[in-house]
Amino acid sequence: ISAYIIQKKPKYLISALGSVIIILGVNLYDNILPKDSRLTIYNRPDMVDVKWNVHGQDYIYKSIEDSVSYKLFDIDGYTLLILSKDELMGKESDQKVKVDWLVLAGDEPFHLKSLTELISFDVVVLSASLPNNTIRQIVNDSQKLGIHCYDISEKGAYSSNF
């Protein structure tokens, strides 16, 4: 059969070999080259549900699994801070803590101005677990302070490549 294809239908053979080479190239690209890292914070009203993927490895955190008031993660050189209570209100520090993402969650009010005195952050993500009046207040304050604010309850899951 192969001798017949080579003699009578060389175009089909070249097309088939080209297709195999393309499929092998795509497979090589998908499996060997490094993948982008990605952070996703899901819209869950009862907890903070975070997933991140670093170089093909998935990690998951669900706040329902523990009851601490804050959680700090180092994600491939980036920092994620999840606060579920505003225990920092009225505190002072000589140095600000630098984080890339600040996630506010829980059912207590947060005061963005007091947080900015202790924490430097690029993005504040508002969990769906926050009360509506707290979300409105933080959105207004973030606009006044020039801070990028993302409201999960309004916009859906937050996602960022890094």
Side-chain angles (χ1 to χ4, degrees):
I1 293 176
S2 58
Y4 172 77
I5 292 175
I6 292 171
Q7 288 178 349
K8 303 289 184 182
K9 308 282 184 186
K11 290 182 195 176
Y12 295 123
L13 179 63
I14 292 170
S15 295
L17 288 174
S19 298
V20 167
I21 290 170
I22 289 171
I23 290 171
L24 287 173
V26 168
N27 189 28
L28 181 71
Y29 177 81
D30 283 345
N31 292 317
I32 292 181
L33 294 178
K35 295 175 176 42
D36 286 340
S37 298
R38 179 176 205 77
L39 170 76
T40 306
I41 304 168
Y42 295 97
N43 186 6
R44 306 271 195 267
D46 56 339
M47 69 175 161
V48 177
D49 188 2
V50 182
K51 177 181 176 182
W52 61 95
N53 181 295
V54 177
H55 308 298
Q57 178 69 40
D58 285 335
Y59 302 89
I60 297 173
Y61 168 75
K62 294 178 187 278
S63 65
I64 205 160
E65 296 170 353
D66 57 40
S67 61
V68 297
S69 60
Y70 73 92
K71 200 76 172 173
L72 185 65
F73 297 95
D74 178 14
I75 304 171
D76 200 33
Y78 294 86
T79 311
L80 168 68
L81 174 61
I82 301 171
L83 291 178
S84 58
K85 294 182 181 155
D86 192 1
E87 295 177 347
L88 302 175
M89 179 78 173
K91 306 258 178 173
E92 294 182 17
S93 175
D94 294 338
Q95 284 189 310
K96 286 186 179 184
V97 174
K98 168 70 174 111
V99 299
D100 297 289
W101 303 282
L102 173 64
V103 179
L104 301 179
D107 55 2
E108 293 185 17
F110 285 90
H111 302 279
L112 196 59
K113 179 74 173 139
S114 66
L115 289 174
T116 60
E117 293 171 3
L118 298 171
I119 305 168
S120 171
F121 48 91
D122 297 330
V123 178
V124 61
V125 179
L126 307 179
S127 166
S129 63
L130 290 169
N132 289 334
N133 58 336
T134 300
I135 290 173
R136 282 192 302 276
Q137 183 63 46
I138 294 172
V139 168
N140 289 337
D141 290 348
S142 67
Q143 289 172 347
K144 290 176 189 173
L145 296 169
I147 296 170
H148 179 67
C149 181
Y150 190 92
D151 178 7
I152 286 179
S153 60
E154 180 183 312
K155 298 177 182 177
Y158 173 82
S159 185
S160 176
N161 289 336
F162 57 95

